[in-house]
Amino acid sequence: TVLDGWERSAQEWQDECKHRKDGQARKVCSFAWVSNRLTQMGTVQQVEDLIFPLITSNDGWIVDGVGNSGDWLDKVGLEATKANARFVLQHTNGMGIPHVVKAAGGSKIDARHGDHVDDGSESAAEVRHMVIIALHSYGSKWEGSKLEVKVRNKNKDANTASANKEMAFHLEGHHRSRTSILVPYKFDLAGAARLKPGETLEADFELVGGSAFKILGLAFCSR
């Protein structure tokens, strides 16, 4: 099924977020979240505990979804509730969220990257890409849905060219097909927008078209 196929893809993506080099675990993704059964991030509370500590301001976005249906509209994610909804988050490369959330069955999940806790040594890689998993849906609610994401490296000084320090990306939330699907967007953080270990990224998410949008995954990765 489409659901099973997506979950296999999500597992492959999650596995890609860590690899070993010279006996040392190096995170490919300094942060990665996707809502599905494999990552076991399937409740509103789990996603709120993971995402809200990163958010510095929020107007019109909530974590919503029932999480127990095969319909992507019901999957737990960040959802815009009005036109011009906006939130801003900050993420420091190599600095995870300082708590662990519990998955179904009581197993622990590392809240920094949505995977099970690994006690091996780890080191941060340069963040070169941002991945957003967005819902594409149909009908009047989703008509004209468009999200703008502005990303900047907060560690670059005033002398850094603004064109290299800040980047803007656009995502669609509506399509004509009579089904809802998930679409992964992978954006290259070129030049000064890239994050070296210890540097902080600020991402500004604003709904610039329509009145609905839903995000079901987010990652900051080196490749």
Side-chain angles (χ1 to χ4, degrees), residues 18-204:
K18 280 185 14 177
H19 71 285
R20 296 194 173 271
K21 182 178 181 181
D22 299 330
Q24 183 182 46
R26 176 179 290 273
K27 281 193 179 70
V28 175
C29 300
S30 64
F31 175 88
W33 152 62
V34 59
S35 288
N36 67 18
R37 291 178 298 191
L38 289 176
T39 59
Q40 300 181 32
M41 294 296 295
T43 71
V44 169
Q45 188 64 56
Q46 286 173 333
V47 176
E48 285 181 346
D49 288 347
L50 181 66
I51 295 296
F52 280 0
L54 302 180
I55 294 178
T56 59
S57 66
N58 181 15
D59 178 22
W61 287 80
I62 63 171
V63 175
D64 193 31
V66 296
N68 60 4
S69 130
D71 190 336
W72 289 119
L73 290 170
D74 292 332
K75 290 296 180 183
V76 176
L78 275 168
E79 185 167 345
T81 60
K82 65 178 184 177
N84 306 119
R86 180 186 178 197
F87 74 91
V88 178
L89 67 77
Q90 291 187 9
H91 169 64
T92 300
N93 184 13
M95 297 291 290
I97 298 173
H99 68 268
V100 173
V101 297
K102 284 189 176 181
S107 61
K108 291 182 178 179
I109 291 179
D110 186 340
R112 291 171 298 175
H113 53 84
D115 199 357
H116 290 276
V117 173
D118 185 343
D119 294 328
S121 60
E122 297 169 332
S123 59
E126 182 181 59
V127 171
R128 300 179 179 181
H129 303 284
M130 176 176 65
V131 179
I132 299 173
I133 300 174
L135 178 73
H136 281 198
S137 196
Y138 60 95
S140 58
K141 175 181 177 179
W142 305 92
E143 191 75 39
S145 174
K146 188 174 183 179
L147 182 69
E148 180 180 74
V149 183
K150 294 180 180 178
V151 179
R152 72 184 185 96
N153 186 330
K154 293 193 67 179
N155 295 85
K156 302 307 177 184
D157 60 31
N159 295 322
T160 303
S162 59
N164 293 325
K165 185 171 60 175
E166 181 174 287
M167 305 187 73
F169 309 104
H170 295 89
L171 302 79
E172 303 290 337
H174 176 263
H175 65 178
R176 298 297 178 184
S177 175
R178 302 291 294 180
T179 186
S180 296
I181 63 171
L182 294 187
V183 178
Y185 290 84
K186 184 176 182 179
F187 301 111
D188 181 20
L189 303 179
R194 292 181 174 180
L195 290 186
K196 297 184 183 301
E199 293 185 337
T200 298
L201 169 148
E202 183 175 80
D204 187 333

